[in-house]
Amino acid sequence: MEKLISEFSLGLFFWQTLIFVGLIFLLKKYAWKPILSAVNEREASIKDALEAAKEARSEMESLQSDNQRILKEARAQKEALLKEARTIRSEMINTAKVEAQSEANKILSQAQEAIQNEKRTAVNELKDHVSSIALDIATKVLQNELESKDKQMQLVSKLLQNSDMK
Amino acid sequence: MRIQIRAHFALPIALLFMPFLIQAKDSKPSGDLKTEIKEYIFHHLEDAYDFSLFSYTKDNGDHKYIGMPLPVILWDNGLQIFSSSKLQHGEGVAQVGSNFYKLDHGKIFKTNALGVINLDAGKQVTNEAPLDFSVTKGVFSMLLIAFLMFFLFNRLAKSYLKNGGVPTGIGRFFEPIIIYLRDEIAKPNIGERKYRSYMSFLLTVFFFIWFLNMLGLTPLGVNVTGNIAVTFGLAITTFIITNLTGTKDYWLHIFDPLGGSMKWYSKIFLYIILIPIEILGIFIKPFSLLIRLYANMQAGHIVIMSLIGLMFIFKSWIGSSLSFGLTFAIAIIELLVAFLQAYIFTMLSALYFGFAAQEHESH
């Protein structure tokens, strides 16, 4: 201990303290502060960048899942639309068929009716015609038959003969 | 890559031995080699007034020193500044104005024109010793390291601006250490909220000690962190910062360690013992810092230099090469110790700051 104290150099202590304390303040201003702030800044920026990347990834993931969902929905919608179209088509065909059938039936029945009517009028006309011809013929025949008194007598007797008096 | 690393290690270690080798080879075999080596080691451990790289003894007995002189600054009824070359390594008397100074066992004393050193019965020098503020080898080394640190870290700070927040060059090596000190020493010991104000001290003290320790391993042969005055200065800075930034809780912990857990009349007997211990603790903490660093660095230098000295004592092929291998291994360990001691000093300083800055949530 005595040796240590005798070894102790006040001058060296003085210079050491002066240099060291001076160095602390000098380095604080010109080195440590800018270094530490630069390091901190860099660390903060790295942290930010990492966070941003994470966020972007999660966003992308959500976007992707969104896309997937939208695609799925679209597909389902397409399916539904197609299905609907198919049912509508078949329905339309069916109704068209039924309608056509009924229309056809209607037309057919109308045609039949018209044919019946035509037939009836034709028959009636024919009847009229025939009856008038028959009358004409009958008239002419009668005129011929009844030209002479004999013939008139003959007929009357014949008629009388035919109608047996009972 | 591996070869490169090896070269990096090998070069300083090879250089480390150079001055001693030259010294030992050229020294005259006069006197006892063991005491010569011992004296040389203790001479090396002390601070010096000039920056000598090596010295040798000429055939005619003159000592030849290779190095450069440094300014000697004395306060002796006015400022006396002169070159250390005037002291002639203690072999002559330096005349400055009308005053005469002589170097005796690493200290400057005022003498008469003949340079007589008076000793008392206990072999203590009775000459007057002027106040000594010389720029010694240690001071010069510290200045060197201070400039180096300023240059390095200022450049690192600037490289962030130029390079968009990414360090360049040697800064890539130092930046992780800075971040380590912040995240592993400052934050856990002081706390997330208060660590910022202590960072400048912690970073400076770490690199200052580390670089000085490393400089001590170079062939320049400086022993700055192994000097009690230097470690005392470092520790006293820690001591002052700790107690100046001490919170109310810190002082309460010292003067009222038991708090409200006991009635005052029962505490008072305990406190007669406890409070002196706590107060002593304030001083013991930095004292342990200064002794630990001093002793470790001092011991490292002694071990390495003793092992180098062994080579010349053995003077045999096997013994000398064996102690060379041992020196080599210890030198590598010293590289680790250089870092470790800087780390421990910083770590413990941070721990003490943590005590001072506590806000009484934990405990």
PDB file of all heavy atoms in Angstrom, chain B residues 215-239:
ATOM      1  N   LEU B 215      -2.363  -1.147 -26.435  1.00  0.00           N
ATOM      2  CA  LEU B 215      -1.111  -0.415 -26.662  1.00  0.00           C
ATOM      3  C   LEU B 215      -0.028  -0.955 -25.745  1.00  0.00           C
ATOM      4  O   LEU B 215       1.154  -0.994 -26.098  1.00  0.00           O
ATOM      5  CB  LEU B 215      -1.332   1.082 -26.414  1.00  0.00           C
ATOM      6  CG  LEU B 215      -0.222   2.009 -26.891  1.00  0.00           C
ATOM      7  CD1 LEU B 215      -0.168   2.034 -28.402  1.00  0.00           C
ATOM      8  CD2 LEU B 215      -0.421   3.408 -26.344  1.00  0.00           C
ATOM      9  N   GLY B 216      -0.419  -1.375 -24.560  1.00  0.00           N
ATOM     10  CA  GLY B 216       0.530  -1.954 -23.613  1.00  0.00           C
ATOM     11  C   GLY B 216       1.119  -3.255 -24.117  1.00  0.00           C
ATOM     12  O   GLY B 216       2.191  -3.667 -23.678  1.00  0.00           O
ATOM     13  N   LEU B 217       0.407  -3.923 -25.035  1.00  0.00           N
ATOM     14  CA  LEU B 217       0.917  -5.192 -25.565  1.00  0.00           C
ATOM     15  C   LEU B 217       1.812  -4.986 -26.774  1.00  0.00           C
ATOM     16  O   LEU B 217       2.405  -5.925 -27.273  1.00  0.00           O
ATOM     17  CB  LEU B 217      -0.262  -6.099 -25.947  1.00  0.00           C
ATOM     18  CG  LEU B 217      -1.123  -6.584 -24.789  1.00  0.00           C
ATOM     19  CD1 LEU B 217      -2.294  -7.398 -25.306  1.00  0.00           C
ATOM     20  CD2 LEU B 217      -0.297  -7.423 -23.847  1.00  0.00           C
ATOM     21  N   THR B 218       1.873  -3.771 -27.268  1.00  0.00           N
ATOM     22  CA  THR B 218       2.724  -3.505 -28.430  1.00  0.00           C
ATOM     23  C   THR B 218       4.170  -3.343 -27.967  1.00  0.00           C
ATOM     24  O   THR B 218       4.442  -3.166 -26.782  1.00  0.00           O
ATOM     25  CB  THR B 218       2.281  -2.217 -29.144  1.00  0.00           C
ATOM     26  OG1 THR B 218       2.432  -1.144 -28.221  1.00  0.00           O
ATOM     27  CG2 THR B 218       0.856  -2.306 -29.620  1.00  0.00           C
ATOM     28  N   PRO B 219       5.100  -3.383 -28.888  1.00  0.00           N
ATOM     29  CA  PRO B 219       6.518  -3.233 -28.514  1.00  0.00           C
ATOM     30  C   PRO B 219       6.865  -1.840 -28.003  1.00  0.00           C
ATOM     31  O   PRO B 219       7.982  -1.626 -27.547  1.00  0.00           O
ATOM     32  CB  PRO B 219       7.258  -3.536 -29.816  1.00  0.00           C
ATOM     33  CG  PRO B 219       6.262  -3.413 -30.883  1.00  0.00           C
ATOM     34  CD  PRO B 219       4.943  -3.735 -30.294  1.00  0.00           C
ATOM     35  N   LEU B 220       5.929  -0.912 -28.047  1.00  0.00           N
ATOM     36  CA  LEU B 220       6.214   0.404 -27.489  1.00  0.00           C
ATOM     37  C   LEU B 220       6.451   0.298 -25.989  1.00  0.00           C
ATOM     38  O   LEU B 220       7.091   1.156 -25.392  1.00  0.00           O
ATOM     39  CB  LEU B 220       5.057   1.360 -27.754  1.00  0.00           C
ATOM     40  CG  LEU B 220       4.783   1.661 -29.231  1.00  0.00           C
ATOM     41  CD1 LEU B 220       3.544   2.528 -29.376  1.00  0.00           C
ATOM     42  CD2 LEU B 220       5.974   2.358 -29.862  1.00  0.00           C
ATOM     43  N   GLY B 221       5.926  -0.769 -25.415  1.00  0.00           N
ATOM     44  CA  GLY B 221       6.219  -1.056 -24.013  1.00  0.00           C
ATOM     45  C   GLY B 221       5.659  -0.038 -23.040  1.00  0.00           C
ATOM     46  O   GLY B 221       6.270   0.271 -22.035  1.00  0.00           O
ATOM     47  N   VAL B 222       4.482   0.481 -23.342  1.00  0.00           N
ATOM     48  CA  VAL B 222       3.886   1.418 -22.390  1.00  0.00           C
ATOM     49  C   VAL B 222       3.006   0.644 -21.426  1.00  0.00           C
ATOM     50  O   VAL B 222       2.432  -0.377 -21.771  1.00  0.00           O
ATOM     51  CB  VAL B 222       3.050   2.502 -23.096  1.00  0.00           C
ATOM     52  CG1 VAL B 222       3.939   3.492 -23.765  1.00  0.00           C
ATOM     53  CG2 VAL B 222       2.083   1.892 -24.076  1.00  0.00           C
ATOM     54  N   ASN B 223       2.923   1.134 -20.223  1.00  0.00           N
ATOM     55  CA  ASN B 223       2.126   0.474 -19.195  1.00  0.00           C
ATOM     56  C   ASN B 223       1.262   1.557 -18.548  1.00  0.00           C
ATOM     57  O   ASN B 223       1.558   2.046 -17.477  1.00  0.00           O
ATOM     58  CB  ASN B 223       3.055  -0.180 -18.167  1.00  0.00           C
ATOM     59  CG  ASN B 223       2.285  -0.842 -17.064  1.00  0.00           C
ATOM     60  OD1 ASN B 223       1.169  -1.318 -17.287  1.00  0.00           O
ATOM     61  ND2 ASN B 223       2.854  -0.862 -15.871  1.00  0.00           N
ATOM     62  N   VAL B 224       0.207   1.930 -19.269  1.00  0.00           N
ATOM     63  CA  VAL B 224      -0.614   3.052 -18.801  1.00  0.00           C
ATOM     64  C   VAL B 224      -1.704   2.575 -17.862  1.00  0.00           C
ATOM     65  O   VAL B 224      -1.851   3.088 -16.755  1.00  0.00           O
ATOM     66  CB  VAL B 224      -1.245   3.813 -19.989  1.00  0.00           C
ATOM     67  CG1 VAL B 224      -2.009   5.017 -19.491  1.00  0.00           C
ATOM     68  CG2 VAL B 224      -0.178   4.222 -20.973  1.00  0.00           C
ATOM     69  N   THR B 225      -2.453   1.553 -18.297  1.00  0.00           N
ATOM     70  CA  THR B 225      -3.560   1.072 -17.470  1.00  0.00           C
ATOM     71  C   THR B 225      -3.038   0.262 -16.291  1.00  0.00           C
ATOM     72  O   THR B 225      -3.806  -0.094 -15.412  1.00  0.00           O
ATOM     73  CB  THR B 225      -4.537   0.232 -18.304  1.00  0.00           C
ATOM     74  OG1 THR B 225      -3.773  -0.573 -19.197  1.00  0.00           O
ATOM     75  CG2 THR B 225      -5.479   1.098 -19.074  1.00  0.00           C
ATOM     76  N   GLY B 226      -1.747  -0.019 -16.287  1.00  0.00           N
ATOM     77  CA  GLY B 226      -1.162  -0.691 -15.132  1.00  0.00           C
ATOM     78  C   GLY B 226      -0.541   0.317 -14.183  1.00  0.00           C
ATOM     79  O   GLY B 226       0.297  -0.019 -13.359  1.00  0.00           O
ATOM     80  N   ASN B 227      -0.949   1.557 -14.321  1.00  0.00           N
ATOM     81  CA  ASN B 227      -0.431   2.602 -13.435  1.00  0.00           C
ATOM     82  C   ASN B 227      -1.537   3.060 -12.511  1.00  0.00           C
ATOM     83  O   ASN B 227      -2.636   3.399 -12.956  1.00  0.00           O
ATOM     84  CB  ASN B 227       0.065   3.779 -14.290  1.00  0.00           C
ATOM     85  CG  ASN B 227       0.861   4.755 -13.456  1.00  0.00           C
ATOM     86  OD1 ASN B 227       0.353   5.280 -12.477  1.00  0.00           O
ATOM     87  ND2 ASN B 227       2.094   4.987 -13.855  1.00  0.00           N
ATOM     88  N   ILE B 228      -1.243   3.075 -11.241  1.00  0.00           N
ATOM     89  CA  ILE B 228      -2.290   3.328 -10.242  1.00  0.00           C
ATOM     90  C   ILE B 228      -2.928   4.712 -10.411  1.00  0.00           C
ATOM     91  O   ILE B 228      -4.125   4.877 -10.179  1.00  0.00           O
ATOM     92  CB  ILE B 228      -1.733   3.120  -8.810  1.00  0.00           C
ATOM     93  CG1 ILE B 228      -2.871   3.012  -7.788  1.00  0.00           C
ATOM     94  CG2 ILE B 228      -0.781   4.223  -8.421  1.00  0.00           C
ATOM     95  CD1 ILE B 228      -3.332   1.618  -7.587  1.00  0.00           C
ATOM     96  N   ALA B 229      -2.154   5.694 -10.864  1.00  0.00           N
ATOM     97  CA  ALA B 229      -2.707   7.038 -11.013  1.00  0.00           C
ATOM     98  C   ALA B 229      -3.775   7.067 -12.100  1.00  0.00           C
ATOM     99  O   ALA B 229      -4.799   7.746 -11.979  1.00  0.00           O
ATOM    100  CB  ALA B 229      -1.596   8.025 -11.334  1.00  0.00           C
ATOM    101  N   VAL B 230      -3.531   6.299 -13.162  1.00  0.00           N
ATOM    102  CA  VAL B 230      -4.482   6.274 -14.276  1.00  0.00           C
ATOM    103  C   VAL B 230      -5.768   5.566 -13.867  1.00  0.00           C
ATOM    104  O   VAL B 230      -6.877   6.078 -14.069  1.00  0.00           O
ATOM    105  CB  VAL B 230      -3.853   5.583 -15.505  1.00  0.00           C
ATOM    106  CG1 VAL B 230      -4.875   5.421 -16.603  1.00  0.00           C
ATOM    107  CG2 VAL B 230      -2.669   6.387 -15.998  1.00  0.00           C
ATOM    108  N   THR B 231      -5.630   4.394 -13.253  1.00  0.00           N
ATOM    109  CA  THR B 231      -6.832   3.658 -12.866  1.00  0.00           C
ATOM    110  C   THR B 231      -7.577   4.416 -11.769  1.00  0.00           C
ATOM    111  O   THR B 231      -8.799   4.393 -11.722  1.00  0.00           O
ATOM    112  CB  THR B 231      -6.493   2.237 -12.380  1.00  0.00           C
ATOM    113  OG1 THR B 231      -5.589   2.342 -11.290  1.00  0.00           O
ATOM    114  CG2 THR B 231      -5.886   1.421 -13.477  1.00  0.00           C
ATOM    115  N   PHE B 232      -6.824   5.132 -10.958  1.00  0.00           N
ATOM    116  CA  PHE B 232      -7.458   5.957  -9.925  1.00  0.00           C
ATOM    117  C   PHE B 232      -8.305   7.048 -10.592  1.00  0.00           C
ATOM    118  O   PHE B 232      -9.442   7.290 -10.199  1.00  0.00           O
ATOM    119  CB  PHE B 232      -6.385   6.599  -9.034  1.00  0.00           C
ATOM    120  CG  PHE B 232      -6.940   7.463  -7.950  1.00  0.00           C
ATOM    121  CD1 PHE B 232      -7.511   6.899  -6.824  1.00  0.00           C
ATOM    122  CD2 PHE B 232      -6.895   8.845  -8.051  1.00  0.00           C
ATOM    123  CE1 PHE B 232      -8.029   7.692  -5.817  1.00  0.00           C
ATOM    124  CE2 PHE B 232      -7.420   9.646  -7.060  1.00  0.00           C
ATOM    125  CZ  PHE B 232      -7.985   9.074  -5.931  1.00  0.00           C
ATOM    126  N   GLY B 233      -7.735   7.665 -11.618  1.00  0.00           N
ATOM    127  CA  GLY B 233      -8.469   8.701 -12.349  1.00  0.00           C
ATOM    128  C   GLY B 233      -9.733   8.158 -12.977  1.00  0.00           C
ATOM    129  O   GLY B 233     -10.792   8.791 -12.921  1.00  0.00           O
ATOM    130  N   LEU B 234      -9.628   6.963 -13.562  1.00  0.00           N
ATOM    131  CA  LEU B 234     -10.800   6.353 -14.203  1.00  0.00           C
ATOM    132  C   LEU B 234     -11.863   6.033 -13.161  1.00  0.00           C
ATOM    133  O   LEU B 234     -13.054   6.304 -13.350  1.00  0.00           O
ATOM    134  CB  LEU B 234     -10.391   5.082 -14.936  1.00  0.00           C
ATOM    135  CG  LEU B 234      -9.530   5.269 -16.188  1.00  0.00           C
ATOM    136  CD1 LEU B 234      -9.011   3.928 -16.670  1.00  0.00           C
ATOM    137  CD2 LEU B 234     -10.326   5.938 -17.297  1.00  0.00           C
ATOM    138  N   ALA B 235     -11.417   5.439 -12.059  1.00  0.00           N
ATOM    139  CA  ALA B 235     -12.371   5.022 -11.034  1.00  0.00           C
ATOM    140  C   ALA B 235     -13.038   6.225 -10.382  1.00  0.00           C
ATOM    141  O   ALA B 235     -14.228   6.183 -10.044  1.00  0.00           O
ATOM    142  CB  ALA B 235     -11.668   4.170  -9.983  1.00  0.00           C
ATOM    143  N   ILE B 236     -12.269   7.298 -10.221  1.00  0.00           N
ATOM    144  CA  ILE B 236     -12.849   8.464  -9.547  1.00  0.00           C
ATOM    145  C   ILE B 236     -13.907   9.115 -10.441  1.00  0.00           C
ATOM    146  O   ILE B 236     -14.890   9.682  -9.946  1.00  0.00           O
ATOM    147  CB  ILE B 236     -11.756   9.469  -9.109  1.00  0.00           C
ATOM    148  CG1 ILE B 236     -12.223  10.179  -7.828  1.00  0.00           C
ATOM    149  CG2 ILE B 236     -11.433  10.481 -10.178  1.00  0.00           C
ATOM    150  CD1 ILE B 236     -11.117  10.767  -7.029  1.00  0.00           C
ATOM    151  N   THR B 237     -13.747   8.974 -11.752  1.00  0.00           N
ATOM    152  CA  THR B 237     -14.786   9.481 -12.664  1.00  0.00           C
ATOM    153  C   THR B 237     -16.075   8.689 -12.464  1.00  0.00           C
ATOM    154  O   THR B 237     -17.161   9.251 -12.371  1.00  0.00           O
ATOM    155  CB  THR B 237     -14.316   9.370 -14.119  1.00  0.00           C
ATOM    156  OG1 THR B 237     -12.925   9.602 -14.177  1.00  0.00           O
ATOM    157  CG2 THR B 237     -15.025  10.377 -14.990  1.00  0.00           C
ATOM    158  N   THR B 238     -15.921   7.369 -12.389  1.00  0.00           N
ATOM    159  CA  THR B 238     -17.084   6.523 -12.117  1.00  0.00           C
ATOM    160  C   THR B 238     -17.722   6.913 -10.784  1.00  0.00           C
ATOM    161  O   THR B 238     -18.942   7.056 -10.683  1.00  0.00           O
ATOM    162  CB  THR B 238     -16.674   5.042 -12.063  1.00  0.00           C
ATOM    163  OG1 THR B 238     -16.100   4.685 -13.309  1.00  0.00           O
ATOM    164  CG2 THR B 238     -17.865   4.155 -11.771  1.00  0.00           C
ATOM    165  N   PHE B 239     -16.875   7.121  -9.780  1.00  0.00           N
ATOM    166  CA  PHE B 239     -17.346   7.469  -8.440  1.00  0.00           C
ATOM    167  C   PHE B 239     -18.147   8.770  -8.475  1.00  0.00           C
ATOM    168  O   PHE B 239     -19.256   8.862  -7.929  1.00  0.00           O
ATOM    169  CB  PHE B 239     -16.130   7.622  -7.519  1.00  0.00           C
ATOM    170  CG  PHE B 239     -16.447   8.155  -6.158  1.00  0.00           C
ATOM    171  CD1 PHE B 239     -17.011   7.340  -5.192  1.00  0.00           C
ATOM    172  CD2 PHE B 239     -16.186   9.477  -5.856  1.00  0.00           C
ATOM    173  CE1 PHE B 239     -17.301   7.829  -3.937  1.00  0.00           C
ATOM    174  CE2 PHE B 239     -16.478   9.973  -4.595  1.00  0.00           C
ATOM    175  CZ  PHE B 239     -17.038   9.148  -3.642  1.00  0.00           C
TER     176      PHE B 239
END
